């Protein structure tokens, strides 16, 4: 039986390590590890969403797989900020995707496994930095084998998708109202309660439509009050088109990835900053804009028009936000 201690101290293994290190230096990534460590960003006292977003927005490159895993964690945090298990699972799946791409690139999908292909896939294409600072931190083989499949993870979103859709539509109403009424004498203060009046009218006139898409006032207020800093990003994501879907739908479906969608992040965050400056800053709760701005940071503010309202929505919107006095 092989003694592990003897194996680790053997001349042959030491020579193999030296050879692999030379291989990595010659053919691996030359990008050094980021100043921010993966554990400090994701497993410290709290999930560092603000700093992670800065990293995703920055032009500076990092070692392969780093931003992919951070983006997955950020997506999970954005949708369910208090569910650590969800973002952990999403990061594990992103890590698996990175490792799978490395194996495919090394030819392991179409050719037999060889030691050469395994070494190339693991230490050069996956990367030593990735293995030591992400794979190991996520829990290594045990965490990957215990991780539930995507379908199981996504069941956690069944209860929040309609809540998010309601909060996003409420911001669309507030965006319309701010555009339409902010020039009136005396200014205009958009309020969440007026959006509740809109939803109430929709529920009365189109109950099936409302039930399929939206949630009650209490659930809307809960999402709004407990997750203030996420609202602008969720709404902005609903307005960014990626082929035939919105960026928000990709997030909710689990298809968002840094690798495929990094080119949309500047537009997405720029629009979210506009929502904060144009809508949230006018509302009565000063924490809405303050916490949102802290998350989004400084940068371009990208103006955009709100989505069109349906005929039913337009009628209820005019009643809720019109010139007549309303009791809300």
């Amino acid at each position: 039986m092989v003694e592990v201690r003897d194996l680790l101290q053997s001349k042959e293994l030491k020579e193999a390590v030296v050879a692999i290190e030379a291989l990595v230096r010659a053919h691996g990534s030359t990008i050094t590890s980021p100043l921010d460590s993966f554990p400090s960003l994701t497993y410290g006292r709290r999930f560092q969403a603000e700093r992670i977003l800065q990293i995703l927005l920055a032009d500076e490159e990092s070692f392969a797989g780093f931003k992919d895993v951070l983006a997955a964690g950020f997506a999970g945090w954005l949708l369910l900020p208090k569910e650590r298990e969800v973002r952990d699972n999403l990061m594990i799946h992103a890590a698996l995707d990175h490792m799978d791409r490395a194996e495919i690139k090394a030819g392991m999908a179409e050719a037999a496994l060889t030691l050469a292909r395994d070494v190339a896939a693991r230490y050069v294409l996956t990367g030593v930095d990735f293995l030591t600072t992400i794979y190991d931190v996520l829990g290594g083989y045990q965490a990957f084998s215990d991780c539930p499949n995507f379908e199981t993870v996504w069941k956690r979103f069944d209860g929040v998708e309609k809540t998010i859709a309601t909060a996003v539509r409420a911001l669309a109403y507030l965006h319309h109202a701010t555009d339409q009424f902010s020039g009136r004498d005396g200014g205009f203060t958009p309020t969440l309660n007026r959006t509740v009046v809109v939803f109430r009218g929709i529920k009365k006139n189109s109950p099936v439509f409302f039930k399929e898409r939206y949630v009650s006032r209490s659930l809307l207020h809960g999402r709004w009050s407990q997750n203030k800093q996420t609202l602008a990003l969720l709404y902005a994501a609903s307005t960014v088109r990626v082929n035939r879907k919105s960026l928000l739908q990709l997030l909710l479906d689990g298809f968002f990835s840094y690798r495929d969608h990094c080119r949309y992040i500047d537009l997405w965050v720029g629009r979210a900053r506009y929502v904060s400056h144009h809508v949230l800053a006018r509302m009565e709760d000063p924490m809405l804009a303050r916490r949102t701005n802290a998350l989004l940071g400084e940068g371009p503010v990208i103006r955009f028009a709100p989505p069109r309202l349906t005929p039913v929505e337009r009628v209820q919107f005019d009643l809720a936000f019109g010139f007549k006095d309303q009791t809300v």
Side-chain angles (χ1 to χ4, degrees):
M1 184 176 178
V2 176
E3 288 288 343
V4 175
R5 183 178 60 183
D6 294 340
L7 174 64
L8 293 175
Q9 296 298 322
S10 68
K11 174 185 175 183
E12 293 81 5
L13 183 58
K14 290 179 179 179
E15 290 176 349
V17 169
V18 170
I20 290 174
E21 288 174 343
L23 178 70
V24 171
R25 286 194 299 271
H27 300 282
S29 172
T30 58
I31 300 170
T32 57
S33 298
L35 294 176
D36 300 275
S37 71
F38 179 72
S40 68
L41 291 168
T42 58
Y43 291 109
R45 187 173 57 85
R46 67 181 183 88
F47 187 76
Q48 301 289 329
E50 301 90 344
R51 180 58 188 145
I52 289 172
L53 185 58
Q54 290 176 6
I55 292 171
L56 297 179
L57 286 166
D59 292 331
E60 289 82 5
E61 293 187 50
S62 55
F63 63 80
F66 183 67
K67 287 188 177 182
D68 299 83
V69 176
L70 286 183
F74 185 82
W77 173 85
L78 183 64
L79 298 175
L80 286 166
K82 294 177 172 57
E83 297 282 348
R84 172 176 170 171
E85 183 182 356
V86 169
R87 62 175 179 265
D88 285 356
N89 286 336
L90 292 179
M91 288 191 292
I92 289 172
H93 279 286
L96 284 171
D97 288 342
H98 170 66
M99 298 170 74
D100 187 52
R101 287 193 298 271
E103 290 187 354
I104 292 172
K105 194 171 182 180
M108 294 169 66
E110 47 195 43
L113 173 66
T114 65
L115 184 58
R117 292 185 190 279
D118 185 60
V119 168
R122 184 179 301 272
Y123 300 109
V124 179
L125 300 176
T126 295
V128 175
D129 281 331
F130 182 90
L131 291 172
T132 57
T133 64
I134 294 183
Y135 176 81
D136 185 59
V137 171
L138 287 173
Y141 177 81
Q142 188 63 47
F144 285 66
S145 62
D146 292 343
C147 183
N149 60 35
F150 240 175
E151 289 72 21
T152 302
V153 174
W154 236 248
K155 287 181 181 179
R156 303 288 288 274
F157 290 97
D158 289 345
V160 300
E161 186 166 357
K162 283 172 46 173
T163 305
I164 289 174
T166 309
V168 163
R169 204 59 183 172
L171 265 172
Y173 300 149
L174 294 171
H175 189 173
H176 272 282
T178 305
D179 283 358
Q180 187 168 340
F181 299 120
S182 58
R184 290 167 53 186
D185 293 340
F188 171 73
T189 302
T191 66
L192 183 61
N193 281 344
R194 288 195 182 272
T195 72
V196 172
V197 175
V198 179
F199 286 123
R200 188 184 302 153
I202 295 171
K203 183 177 182 180
K204 179 179 179 181
N205 290 277
S206 303
V208 175
F209 176 84
F210 179 89
K211 185 176 181 180
E212 288 177 346
R213 293 175 179 245
Y214 303 125
V215 297
S216 66
R217 172 178 180 162
S218 61
L219 289 175
L220 170 60
H221 275 279
R223 177 78 201 195
W224 196 276
S225 61
Q226 296 171 23
N227 305 284
K228 299 177 190 293
Q229 68 272 44
T230 67
L231 297 170
L233 275 173
L234 292 171
Y235 174 50
S238 74
T239 71
V240 176
R241 306 304 299 179
V242 181
N243 299 323
R244 296 179 179 273
K245 290 189 174 184
S246 70
L247 192 61
L248 177 60
Q249 195 58 56
L250 292 175
L251 285 160
L252 290 167
D253 290 343
F255 295 138
F256 173 78
S257 72
Y258 182 81
R259 182 171 178 267
D260 294 332
H261 306 112
C262 59
R263 62 187 180 276
Y264 299 100
I265 295 179
D266 284 337
L267 173 63
W268 175 24
V269 176
R271 287 188 174 188
R273 291 190 185 105
Y274 177 70
V275 175
S276 184
H277 294 8
H278 182 58
V279 180
L280 300 184
R282 300 171 186 267
M283 299 186 72
E284 293 176 328
D285 181 0
M287 291 302 295
L288 276 170
R290 191 176 304 162
R291 294 185 64 181
T292 302
N293 293 338
L295 171 63
L296 301 178
E298 298 293 331
V301 176
I302 302 175
R303 182 175 183 175
F304 67 101
R308 292 181 180 179
L309 302 180
T310 67
V312 172
E313 285 179 309
R314 172 52 67 181
V315 171
Q316 300 307 321
F317 174 86
D318 288 342
L319 288 172
F321 288 96
F323 290 98
K324 293 182 180 180
D325 293 333
Q326 302 285 329
T327 301
V328 297

